[in-house]
Amino acid sequence: MQGVVFALMSGLFIALQGIFNARLATTGVGPWLSVLIVHFVGLMGCLVIYSFVRDRKIGGFRQLPWIYASGGLIGVLVVVTELTAIQTLGMTWAMCLLLVAQILCAFVIDLKGWFGVLKKQGNRGQWVGVGLMLAGVAIFSLA
């Protein structure tokens, strides 16, 4: 149940973050300075929280493959592409496409077992779900 609650909260936060970032970029700041501001504020927030929580030791970082540290760079790309999509497509259409891309990417990662994820077999119901999702996007775009 905790995972469901956190997933729903994450969806809410992604939608709010997207619109806040798009609004910041349209104030004349531009997309790249907006991304810098957003990540700097995020860094400051993390430092404050970490100063109280200290849930892990920083030495564990050295044990991970370097590619996993690139998540921050991917975060930069997420923010700039999301705010650009929202500015050009509108909030709902951008979120619709973003979620479809996210689910399809996650599905392929699960099927292939990439990045240390436990490899899973796709079943007929999941493939039907992918088809229905794509049909839903088509219906949404034509409405």
Side-chain angles (χ1 to χ4, degrees), residues 11-138:
L12 172 71
F13 295 148
I14 288 170
L16 291 174
Q17 179 192 29
I19 197 67
F20 290 178
N21 293 345
R23 296 294 297 150
L24 180 62
T26 59
T27 62
V29 174
W32 291 106
L33 186 54
S34 295
V35 172
L36 178 67
I37 292 167
V38 164
H39 281 84
F40 180 75
V41 170
L43 172 65
M44 294 298 106
C46 285
L47 288 173
V48 169
I49 292 168
Y50 184 73
S51 71
F52 292 105
V53 175
R54 297 207 184 248
D55 56 347
R56 300 284 190 269
K57 295 188 186 224
I58 198 162
F61 176 74
R62 287 182 243 138
Q63 298 170 355
L64 287 173
W66 66 270
I67 193 165
Y68 295 121
S70 69
L73 179 58
I74 292 171
V76 167
L77 298 174
V78 167
V79 172
V80 78
T81 55
E82 180 184 38
L83 71 85
T84 304
I86 290 169
Q87 289 174 334
T88 56
L89 300 173
M91 183 66 179
T92 306
W93 185 229
M95 285 291 122
C96 183
L97 293 176
L98 180 149
L99 290 173
V100 167
Q102 192 173 15
I103 291 169
L104 289 176
C105 182
F107 188 53
V108 170
I109 290 170
D110 271 347
L111 291 175
K112 300 291 185 180
W114 292 338
F115 309 112
V117 171
L118 183 63
K119 188 174 183 178
K120 297 179 182 174
Q121 291 290 328
N123 61 45
R124 184 179 305 176
Q126 290 171 324
W127 287 104
V128 169
V130 168
L132 288 172
M133 182 179 59
L134 294 174
V137 170

Side-chain angles (χ1 to χ4, degrees), residues 4-17:
V4 171
V5 170
F6 274 81
L8 293 173
M9 289 172 53
S10 180
L12 172 71
F13 295 148
I14 288 170
L16 291 174
Q17 179 192 29

